[in-house]
Amino acid sequence: MRIEVFTIFPDLVSSFASESLLGKAQVNGLLDVRCHDLREHTTDVHRTVDDAPFGGGAGMVLKPEPVVAAIEAADPPRPLFLLGPGGDTLDQDLARSLAASGGFSLLCGRYEGVDQRVVDHWCDGELSIGDYVLAGGEVAAMVVLEAVGRLVPGVMGNDTSATEESFSSGLLEYPQYTRPAEFRGHEVPDVLRSGDHGRVGRWRHAVALARTARARPDLFAHRPLDAEDRTVLGEFGLLDEVERLLA
Ligand code: SAH
């Protein structure tokens, strides 16, 4: 899968993409992240990428010429998304569908944003990482790269980690524990050391339901409790609490 990123800070994004899981995925040929420097497509000695907004007002705007020249020179995989607070918000479903695509590209804005003609005529959509304003699209691009890259088949060593983690079943994940079994007087739940895999599975399911009901009851809007949920919640004494939280 190829992902191309247009930015005035290509080293920032490419060094991020060369570490850890994404770095390994690139070495293994599962992922190909290419960063393009918008400044390389300027024509003046100062390598100017921004200019004052028409109509006045604070700040500067990314000029269309270097952005479009960079896009045309690269002919990047489509869709090309502008990163911006007005876009569709990235969530796990969107990350999954991007990971299943052949590739896509990201344009990082800076300053007050990008000349709207670039957005209207050269981009295919807009992606946001949440309802807050960043100083540039680079951190957002890194969030997209990581959320999507780890879901590309083969990138995570253990492919089941993606099917059991938070949001994959519409719930938050169950809590995780490792050795030691007792740490400063706090013990790991007995059931996890029982060796009874069926019971461990039912406990994890019940605790994931309870945890989601406490922290993110909104997630139950599209996933109401079913009969099996009620059974496991009952088995571990959590049914009353969860029903109260979701009432
Ligand atoms: N003036 C703009 C914000 C510009 S912030 C406004 O009020 O909407 C500068 C750049 O940071 C944007 O062009 C965009 O590329 C990036 N950015 C800011 N917030 C973002 C967010 N929540 N998600 C993705 N990108 C964001």
Side-chain angles (χ1 to χ4, degrees):
M1 148 164 296
R2 196 162 94 224
I3 304 174
E4 304 208 10
V5 183
F6 297 88
T7 164
I8 59 170
F9 296 111
D11 295 344
L12 194 62
V13 180
S14 57
S15 83
F16 174 77
S18 66
E19 297 288 342
S20 189
L21 197 71
L22 298 183
K24 223 175 289 167
Q26 293 210 75
V27 168
N28 295 337
L30 297 167
L31 196 66
D32 180 7
V33 179
R34 301 186 194 174
C35 298
H36 302 280
D37 187 353
L38 298 176
R39 279 193 205 282
E40 284 188 1
H41 297 273
T42 53
T43 49
D44 64 314
V45 287
H46 303 293
R47 314 221 303 158
T48 309
V49 290
D50 60 323
D51 205 340
F54 272 114
M60 301 294 270
V61 176
L62 267 183
K63 291 161 62 63
E65 304 96 312
V67 179
V68 169
I71 295 170
E72 287 177 343
D75 189 19
R78 297 279 176 164
L80 165 61
F81 298 105
L82 169 71
L83 293 157
D88 295 333
T89 307
L90 181 72
D91 61 12
Q92 194 67 7
D93 285 338
L94 186 48
R96 245 193 306 265
S97 73
L98 289 173
S101 74
F104 60 92
S105 302
L106 300 169
L107 170 59
C108 303
R110 271 276 150 183
Y111 317 110
E112 290 305 316
V114 184
D115 186 290
Q116 187 62 35
R117 291 166 292 183
V118 175
V119 186
D120 291 343
H121 304 291
W122 280 272
C123 295
D124 305 304
E126 201 167 326
L127 273 185
S128 168
I129 61 161
D131 289 348
Y132 37 79
V133 178
L134 303 166
E138 288 75 16
V139 168
M142 293 189 260
V143 169
V144 174
L145 281 172
E146 184 156 299
V148 173
R150 64 193 288 282
L151 296 176
V152 170
V155 169
M156 271 191 288
N158 179 359
D159 268 341
T160 61
S161 15
T163 60
E164 285 186 11
E165 67 190 3
S166 292
F167 305 114
S168 58
S169 58
L171 299 173
L172 302 180
E173 194 184 54
Y174 51 80
Q176 306 273 9
Y177 297 89
T178 186
R179 276 182 284 269
E182 194 218 289
F183 177 67
R184 303 205 177 173
H186 305 291
E187 289 193 1
V188 164
D190 275 342
V191 52
L192 295 179
R193 302 168 63 205
S194 67
D196 180 342
H197 296 297
R199 193 166 148 79
V200 168
R202 295 195 303 279
W203 179 83
R204 285 180 165 164
H205 184 57
V207 174
L209 288 162
R211 188 184 216 189
T212 308
R214 289 176 200 132
R216 292 291 306 275
D218 57 296
L219 294 177
F220 284 94
H222 305 289
R223 191 212 168 283
L225 287 184
D226 63 20
E228 194 196 329
D229 295 339
R230 286 175 205 282
T231 305
V232 293
L233 286 166
E235 178 177 352
F236 296 98
L238 293 164
L239 185 57
D240 287 351
E241 182 197 351
V242 168
E243 285 192 322
R244 209 176 330 110
L245 287 167
L246 301 183

